[in-house]
Amino acid sequence: MRSSTLLLALVASGYALELPFTSLKRGLASLFPRKNGNKCPPAWTTVSQDLTKMFLTNGQCNDDARAAIRAAFHDCGTWNKAQGAKGGCDGSLILAQEYNRAENNGLQAISAKLLDLSKTRSVGVADMIAFAGAHAIVTCPSGPQVKTYIGRKDSSTPAPDGLLPDVNASGDSLFALFQDKGFDAVDLAALVGAHTTSKQFFVDQAQAGKPQDSTPGVWDVKFYGETLAEPPPPGNFRFASDLALSKQVQVGKEFKGFVDNQGKWSGKFADAMSRMLLLGVPGGADALTDCTDALPRSTGKKRDIKSAPMFKPRS
């Protein structure tokens, strides 16, 4: 009898609890094998230490952290279904100097820093962008730990134009754009919440440096309520695209569901972002190595889940 069959028989007969823990663990491992048995290279633990120093200032995530989050979105987000197993998270933001495109303005400095770090630690640029984005998210107080994989192939082929969201786009067009990347209304509503840590510098030069919510150094849900507020808080800058999404029929319903609901948002965002970081990667997660454990632990996950309502009605 195979070990997995024996384990099932023991469970069914009520004797599994009498097995030593190590034996039970081995049996479960045979039933649910890991997607990739490779261990995360130790270089990524060192990279994580480097990034913590880069991203954290006075206990909050700083401008480098928010730029790294944006960089991950802008490298991976240039993918659509027509490209298949190429493009997306391939490092072309840096390697093809896409950071010089108008929609990527402001990413030049973080691109240079991440390129230097990838050379210093002898790791891939595409992996560095994805890992740094996930690291920056969890560095922010209350930021979730996003499932993060390593092993992407770098590319210096420029991504197609027109596949990143426009700040003045309508809600319907933005939803269609993200559907073509494989995301639904819940995913998009969750992903746009990354603006909780963002600041604008180029949409309106007269208001350069204004954040999209009142606590840009903290990963929280104030962005949702403050985007919907009329009038919005005076210190905030509200993107027209964010307001459009908050009013779009399908996305707006989910957008409102995240107001004052940190626990729900953290889980939905982490799930959608983990998939964002795999766009265009041949074979997806199965072809890569899980390096999530090299990231810092979330500072507020348990607290957020404990304080979140179990079932919050949608308005």
Side-chain angles (χ1 to χ4, degrees):
M1 183 180 290
R2 295 177 58 188
S3 60
S4 59
T5 306
L6 176 59
L7 180 66
L8 287 173
L10 287 168
V11 170
S13 60
Y15 289 105
L17 294 176
E18 297 179 12
L19 286 172
F21 176 75
T22 53
S23 298
L24 180 59
K25 186 176 180 181
R26 283 196 297 270
L28 289 172
S30 69
L31 288 173
F32 305 102
R34 294 174 61 186
K35 289 183 177 181
N36 189 319
N38 295 335
K39 292 184 178 180
C40 182
W44 290 101
T45 299
T46 305
V47 169
S48 182
Q49 295 168 352
D50 296 332
L51 293 176
T52 295
K53 295 175 184 177
M54 186 188 301
F55 292 158
L56 197 62
T57 301
N58 297 325
Q60 295 194 352
C61 49
N62 57 26
D63 286 346
D64 279 338
R66 56 183 58 94
I69 296 169
R70 183 174 172 230
F73 272 99
H74 283 223
D75 190 43
C76 297
T78 54
W79 183 86
N80 64 354
K81 294 176 182 178
Q83 296 177 62
K86 63 179 181 179
C89 308
D90 61 4
S92 61
L93 173 72
I94 294 175
L95 296 173
Q97 298 184 355
E98 292 166 11
Y99 51 72
N100 287 324
R101 295 178 178 180
E103 63 268 28
N104 295 326
N105 206 0
L107 292 178
Q108 292 86 352
I110 193 64
S111 293
K113 290 179 180 180
L114 295 182
L115 178 60
D116 286 346
L117 186 56
S118 69
K119 291 178 178 178
T120 299
R121 300 305 180 193
S122 300
V123 298
V125 174
D127 285 338
M128 176 61 75
I129 294 173
F131 187 88
H135 193 290
I137 289 164
V138 76
T139 296
C140 298
S142 293
Q145 192 181 67
V146 175
K147 200 75 171 174
T148 304
Y149 297 89
I150 297 303
R152 296 165 187 78
K153 184 178 180 181
D154 286 347
S155 175
S156 57
T157 302
D161 287 316
L163 294 178
L164 290 174
D166 185 278
V167 71
N168 294 309
S170 69
D172 287 342
S173 65
L174 289 168
F175 186 29
L177 180 72
F178 275 79
Q179 284 180 306
D180 195 30
K181 302 179 193 299
F183 297 108
D184 62 18
V186 178
D187 298 327
L188 179 50
L191 287 170
V192 75
H195 283 167
T196 183
T197 63
S198 71
K199 296 178 181 178
Q200 80 82 27
F201 290 91
F202 304 103
V203 177
D204 185 344
Q205 295 284 339
Q207 300 186 67
K210 278 194 173 184
Q212 277 58 79
D213 81 11
S214 57
T215 54
V218 178
W219 194 266
D220 57 29
V221 289
K222 287 188 177 180
F223 164 78
Y224 292 100
E226 292 178 359
T227 298
L228 294 166
E230 292 295 350
N236 291 10
F237 183 91
R238 189 166 59 182
F239 289 134
S241 54
D242 290 345
L243 187 59
L245 282 175
S246 75
K247 296 178 179 180
Q248 200 275 340
V249 176
Q250 297 97 320
V251 181
K253 181 180 180 181
E254 307 300 337
F255 192 105
K256 295 177 179 67
F258 291 131
V259 174
D260 297 328
N261 204 334
Q262 180 84 18
K264 176 184 176 181
W265 175 56
S266 291
K268 296 297 184 182
F269 177 89
D271 173 65
M273 190 66 191
S274 67
R275 288 181 279 123
M276 170 72 75
L277 297 179
L278 294 171
L279 294 182
V281 177
D286 290 340
L288 304 180
T289 299
D290 189 348
C291 279
T292 309
D293 286 346
L295 296 170
R297 296 292 181 265
S298 176
T299 57
K301 185 175 181 181
K302 291 182 179 179
R303 180 178 65 251
D304 296 336
I305 292 175
K306 184 177 179 181
S307 62
M310 287 294 290
F311 299 99
K312 180 178 175 62
R314 291 174 176 171
S315 54

